[in-house]
């Protein structure tokens, strides 16, 4: 645009909750505790799943991938966030912003695909139990995990390049607590129609379609479970899928609110809280959701800690 003052910045100012310093101090304490719990919970899942041979199953293979992803995802966002909450300067370097957007987008996209793969695993476990071991063989598990990781970061590479090719306005103030694509698009001093259209297509490919496939998988699962005559059999079948379904609802619900819902529906603070939930809270809840009622995992954890001699 002619006459518009734009430049490549040395860094960005992350506004976040800067207009509410008292809230920032509360968030500093709460998020610090949540982050520590996230590190402990997800690390425990990875270690127990790796060290106990009885947990070398497709479900725990994908769960370990999800836990590693959550560790990386929160670590790419939370330390910078806590540093900004602590001090008066809410800045991030240009390079740091590029890296944060690339990593967060890549891991977020990977989680969308990975949760779909986990739904496919549950579908085979419940609907095709006699052929489950043959279908979900180790080579396929590795291929599906690779598909999730590679697919996620291919998407992130495209999005990050497109975002940072835009000329940015000189104030460099990002109305968010992290470098997130919708917030960066807002400070572009150019027509963003193409990028917004591309973001909409990416949202369909990585949010709408995966969520649709998950819902179809669970539709088949419910139909198969209802055919089981014993109440105990139905309870066990639903128990193997309940945890994954809760995680799907939490993750996709908040992601849809940020990337697909019209922004005019929310105040900026409301939008920031939604982003805070899926970037900080959800990764901390995943270990609890998957292990709280999982007797097999709790037994393996007790054995690892030397509290179960049987």
């Amino acid at each position: 645009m002619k006459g518009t003052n734009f430049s490549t910045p040395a860094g960005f100012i992350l506004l976040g909750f800067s207009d509410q310093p008292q809230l920032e101090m509360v968030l500093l304490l709460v998020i610090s505790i949540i982050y520590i719990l996230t590190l402990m919970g997800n690390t425990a899942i990875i270690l127990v799943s790796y060290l106990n041979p009885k947990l070398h199953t497709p479900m725990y293979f994908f769960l370990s991938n999800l836990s590693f992803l959550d560790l990386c995802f929160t670590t790419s966002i939370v330390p910078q966030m806590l540093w900004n909450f602590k001090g008066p300067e809410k800045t991030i370097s240009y390079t740091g912003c590029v890296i944060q957007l690339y990593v967060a987008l890549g891991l977020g996209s990977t989680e969308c695909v990975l949760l779909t793969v986990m739904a496919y695993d549950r579908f085979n476990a419940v609907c095709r139990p006699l052929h489950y071991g043959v279908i979900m063989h180790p080579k396929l598990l590795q291929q599906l995990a690779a598909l999730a990781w590679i697919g996620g970061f291919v998407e992130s590479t495209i999005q990050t390049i497109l975002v940072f090719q835009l000329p940015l306005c000189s104030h460099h103030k990002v109305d968010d607590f992290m470098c997130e694509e919708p917030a960066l698009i807002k400070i572009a001093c150019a027509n963003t129609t193409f990028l917004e259209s591309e973001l909409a297509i990416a949202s369909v490919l990585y949010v709408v379609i995966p969520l649709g496939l998950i819902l179809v998988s669970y539709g088949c699962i419910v139909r198969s479970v209802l055919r089981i005559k014993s109440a105990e059999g139905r309870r066990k079948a639903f128990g193997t899928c309940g945890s994954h379904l809760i995680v799907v609802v939490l993750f996709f619900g908040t992601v849809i609110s940020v990337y697909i819902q019209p922004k005019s529906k929310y105040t900026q603070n409301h939008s920031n809280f939604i982003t805070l939930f899926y970037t900080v809270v959800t990764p901390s809840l995943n270990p609890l959701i998957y292990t709280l009622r999982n007797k097999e995992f709790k037994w393996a954890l007790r054995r690892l800690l030397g509290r179960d001699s049987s």
Side-chain angles (χ1 to χ4, degrees), residues 238-258:
F238 278 126
T240 62
C241 304
S243 300
H244 178 255
L245 193 56
I246 293 170
V247 170
V248 166
V249 171
L250 289 174
F251 179 76
F252 279 98
T254 48
V255 168
I256 287 171
S257 299
V258 172

Side-chain angles (χ1 to χ4, degrees), residues 31-287:
I31 293 174
S32 296
I33 295 171
I34 292 175
Y35 182 52
I36 293 170
L37 293 175
T38 301
L39 296 179
M40 293 173 60
N42 286 291
T43 301
I45 288 178
I46 294 170
L47 288 176
V48 173
S49 300
Y50 176 75
L51 294 174
N52 194 301
K54 289 189 176 181
L55 300 185
H56 292 178
T57 64
M59 186 181 82
Y60 286 101
F61 173 78
F62 291 126
L63 183 55
S64 296
N65 271 266
L66 181 63
S67 294
F68 178 69
L69 185 153
D70 283 340
L71 285 175
C72 297
F73 187 58
T74 53
T75 302
S76 71
I77 297 168
V78 173
Q80 173 72 38
M81 184 196 306
L82 294 177
W83 179 260
N84 286 347
F85 283 165
K86 184 180 178 181
E89 293 188 6
K90 319 294 183 183
T91 59
I92 185 171
S93 68
Y94 180 84
T95 302
C97 189
V98 173
I99 293 171
Q100 187 179 74
L101 178 66
Y102 174 73
V103 173
L105 263 181
L107 294 171
S109 301
T110 299
E111 183 157 357
C112 291
V113 181
L114 187 60
L115 288 173
T116 309
V117 169
M118 293 173 77
Y120 175 68
D121 172 62
R122 294 298 83 204
F123 164 77
N124 284 309
V126 175
C127 300
R128 301 173 179 174
L130 298 178
H131 304 286
Y132 179 65
V134 177
I135 296 171
M136 303 302 291
H137 55 84
K139 187 175 181 181
L140 180 63
L141 301 185
Q142 295 167 5
Q143 290 171 342
L144 290 173
L147 173 67
W149 286 93
I150 294 171
F153 278 93
V154 166
E155 150 66 7
S156 177
T157 301
I158 295 170
Q159 294 289 103
T160 303
I161 290 172
L162 290 174
V163 167
F164 286 99
Q165 280 185 338
L166 289 172
L168 302 174
C169 295
S170 58
H171 60 76
H172 307 149
K173 293 179 180 178
V174 180
D175 201 357
D176 209 327
F177 54 79
M178 60 177 284
C179 288
E180 195 168 34
E181 187 171 3
L184 289 169
I185 290 175
K186 287 182 181 179
I187 65 169
C189 289
N191 190 326
T192 60
T193 303
F194 171 77
L195 186 55
E196 288 173 356
S197 300
E198 200 278 333
L199 178 58
I201 294 170
S203 297
V204 170
L205 292 175
Y206 283 85
V207 178
V208 177
I209 292 177
L211 183 57
L213 292 173
I214 291 170
L215 293 176
V216 169
S217 296
Y218 274 100
C220 296
I221 288 170
V222 169
R223 188 174 61 181
S224 294
V225 170
L226 292 177
R227 291 175 183 168
I228 300 173
K229 294 182 179 180
S230 70
E232 180 67 15
R234 287 197 296 270
R235 188 189 65 79
K236 286 184 178 180
F238 278 126
T240 62
C241 304
S243 300
H244 178 255
L245 193 56
I246 293 170
V247 170
V248 166
V249 171
L250 289 174
F251 179 76
F252 279 98
T254 48
V255 168
I256 287 171
S257 299
V258 172
Y259 283 90
I260 296 179
Q261 286 275 16
K263 293 294 179 287
S264 58
K265 285 193 65 176
Y266 306 110
T267 64
Q268 185 57 43
N269 274 349
H270 190 177
S271 180
N272 285 344
F273 274 114
I274 293 172
T275 304
L276 196 66
F277 188 86
Y278 89 83
T279 56
V280 178
V281 179
T282 301
S284 70
L285 293 177
N286 288 352

